[in-house]
DNA sequence: CGAAAACTTGACCCAACTCAACGAACGTGG
DNA sequence: CCACGTTCGTTGAGTTGGGTCAAGTTTTCG
């Protein structure tokens, strides 16, 4: 038997960043049965149209993304996910998947039983509320992405995506602050921003030329957070990072 | 005292379209205390950055929309809402609003006490699940809007918005099927699609020119649902209209 | 009836796309 | 550990969908 406490600690960490939990809440989470899985890059975790699987995946390491295809065949990435994120909350109570979820890198997940998680959401109200909040924050991020692809020009748009990636990495405690490993090809960046890979390339070069970012291979760093976030029109309000710190009402 | 049953029946209708409810569930909803409010067009119901109000609004008549502003001052409409929609579920458990909600037309709402609704979501699990599902469907719509503004060209994009409006109007039982009153100016259509009002105008004319839509004032009708939905690349899967009809798992 | 808002149309422009070619990096198997 | 095929990144040249600006016209509404 695996050590539940160690494996599911990212889940507790995530939920505690959403709502205050007590010892019993934590114990109930640690008691969840789960299995470990590894996915290769581009592997599908969820396919649009299918009935939801019997499991809910928690990302332990690596990256994943949500994606939809248009009838013409073009692809829009609608969100990115990293360690600590729950991938199936968006389908927890729905009878059919409305989008695809794919591994971006090699991805390790802990798969919790879906009905156990559904039960937990009602049996432990504080945990249920934390799950609600997590799903609502995902929805907030979707709204910001609508703004990003709908209103911002290429430079601002790419910069905004990088800022979100950095802010969420920092919040999740991934890597060291200020340096980020961007696990996406320029084509994938294009699919996430509604640009072509060619234009993403030119845009990244332009951002580097004015000193806003530094690139070496897939490693990315910012000259100054102040600079890049101003260029991106980025405000982290929509990530609700301080949610659990404020008195719940 | 107002007749709760009559006023809150759209709420029950909406929640029953999300999950199966029993008599006790319905009674609990009907027992919710509420107040009626009327908003003039463009009035703000929620402002970005503010702590959530003590009430959750249900739309009784009229239309509303969610909106975010960029630092440069441009506006992106991120969703539309009509009779039966709950406007504050997206903030139900969050400590700070991340977007604005505005009346599109004259808008009548029934405002339910926020903490009463929060309590209901845990006390009546079937109702709580229906609320979860409603919030998840809103999130699904946000994802589709990311695809819409990110990937589709102007004609397809506008057509898709019209299709969603029609499909949701039909599902909510508003007006007669096949004819719709589009309550938006072309500038608002532009803000919803990431286009300029000038280009929306040309695009609507182009759609009318090929016979896909008919316009008279603000009234809109489709030559054939088949035709417009094909031109829009529209599939109603993401609206999860049949959610409650399938066995819940 | 009059003013303001919304719609329409034309002329011109530019940010981002397309197409195409090539170079660099990666990973895989011999 | 190297060869080699494949994916990814880079760059240039030319095109275009949608934006901008500006001037009417129509509708709405007080």
């Amino acid at each position: 038997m695996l050590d539940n406490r160690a494996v599911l600690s990212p889940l507790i960490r995530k939920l505690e960043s959403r709502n205050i939990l007590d010892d019993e809440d934590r114990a109930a989470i640690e008691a969840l049965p789960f299995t470990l899985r590894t996915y290769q890059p581009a592997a599908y975790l969820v396919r649009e149209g299918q009935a939801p699987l019997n499991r809910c995946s928690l990302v332990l390491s690596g990256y994943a993304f949500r994606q939809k295809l248009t009838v013409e065949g073009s692809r829009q990435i609608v969100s990115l996910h990293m360690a600590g994120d729950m991938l199936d909350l968006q389908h927890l109570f729905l009878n059919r998947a409305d989008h695809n979820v794919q591994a971006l890198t090699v991805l390790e997940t802990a798969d919790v039983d879906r009905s156990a998680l559904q039960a937990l959401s009602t049996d432990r109200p504080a945990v249920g509320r934390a799950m609600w909040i997590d799903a609502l924050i995902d929805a907030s991020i979707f709204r910001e992405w609508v703004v990003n692809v709908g209103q911002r020009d290429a430079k601002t748009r790419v910069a905004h995506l990088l800022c979100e990636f950095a802010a969420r990495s920092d919040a999740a405690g991934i890597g060291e602050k200020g340096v980020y490993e961007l696990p996406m090809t320029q084509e994938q960046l294009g699919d996430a921003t509604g640009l072509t890979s060619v234009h993403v390339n030119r845009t990244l070069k332009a951002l580097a030329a004015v000193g806003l970012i530094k690139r070496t291979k897939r490693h990315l760093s910012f000259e100054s957070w102040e600079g890049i976030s101003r260029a991106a029109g980025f405000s982290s309000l929509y990530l609700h990072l301080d949610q659990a710190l404020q008195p719940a009402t």
Side-chain angles (χ1 to χ4, degrees), chain A:
Chain A
M1 183 65 189
L2 289 152
D3 180 354
N4 274 24
R5 193 170 313 177
V7 174
L8 292 182
S9 67
L11 179 55
I12 293 180
R13 183 183 197 280
K14 161 62 65 97
L15 292 172
E16 286 198 304
S17 76
R18 302 320 196 195
N19 194 30
I20 294 163
L21 304 181
D22 64 22
D23 288 343
E24 283 186 69
D25 295 325
R26 277 185 288 268
I29 296 168
E30 283 166 1
L32 285 169
F34 66 88
T35 55
L36 295 179
R37 270 197 82 159
T38 303
Y39 296 90
Q40 291 306 305
Y44 276 79
L45 283 80
V46 176
R47 276 183 194 275
E48 181 171 350
Q50 86 184 159
L53 301 173
N54 194 28
R55 46 116 183 107
C56 286
S57 299
L58 166 73
V59 178
L60 297 177
S61 72
Y63 295 86
F65 63 97
R66 298 181 198 279
Q67 166 258 99
K68 297 189 84 166
L69 301 170
T70 66
V71 262
E72 297 87 36
S74 67
R75 178 177 73 164
Q76 176 71 43
I77 292 176
V78 298
S79 69
L80 297 178
H81 295 282
M82 54 188 67
D85 286 354
M86 281 174 286
L87 298 177
D88 297 275
L89 240 40
Q90 290 295 322
H91 289 124
L92 187 59
F93 294 106
L94 295 176
N95 291 328
R96 204 161 286 283
D98 54 64
H99 64 278
N100 305 291
V101 181
Q102 264 183 293
L104 183 54
T105 60
V106 170
L107 179 75
E108 290 183 302
T109 63
D111 291 357
V112 177
D113 184 67
R114 180 174 142 103
S115 36
L117 204 62
Q118 289 182 347
L120 187 67
S121 80
T122 51
D123 298 346
R124 305 292 321 167
V127 181
R129 176 190 276 247
M131 288 165 57
W132 249 106
I133 289 169
D134 197 69
L136 292 181
I137 293 174
D138 275 354
S140 172
I141 295 174
F142 296 137
R143 286 190 288 272
E144 185 64 37
W145 280 48
V146 177
V147 178
N148 205 39
V149 296
Q151 298 297 329
R152 296 196 249 261
D153 67 15
K155 216 171 109 182
T156 321
R157 205 186 293 187
V158 171
H160 196 280
L161 183 73
L162 300 182
C163 283
E164 178 181 312
F165 184 79
R168 289 174 59 193
S169 292
D170 290 346
I174 295 168
E176 54 175 318
K177 199 163 170 161
V179 188
Y180 307 94
E181 170 123 35
L182 190 66
M184 303 173 75
T185 67
Q186 293 180 358
E187 179 151 12
Q188 290 164 337
L189 284 171
D191 287 346
T193 50
L195 301 168
T196 57
S197 61
V198 172
H199 204 60
V200 167
N201 182 283
R202 296 193 226 266
T203 305
L204 286 173
K205 276 209 330 174
L207 289 172
V210 295
L212 285 169
I213 62 173
K214 280 209 201 83
R215 292 186 299 154
T216 45
K217 306 265 178 92
R218 292 279 172 82
H219 289 272
L220 180 78
S221 62
F222 301 142
E223 191 69 28
S224 79
W225 175 252
E226 170 62 26
I228 188 76
S229 62
R230 184 154 27 80
F234 182 84
S235 156
S236 68
L237 177 69
Y238 76 98
L239 296 175
H240 296 274
L241 296 174
D242 59 353
Q243 169 66 27
L245 305 178
Q246 302 188 22
T249 321

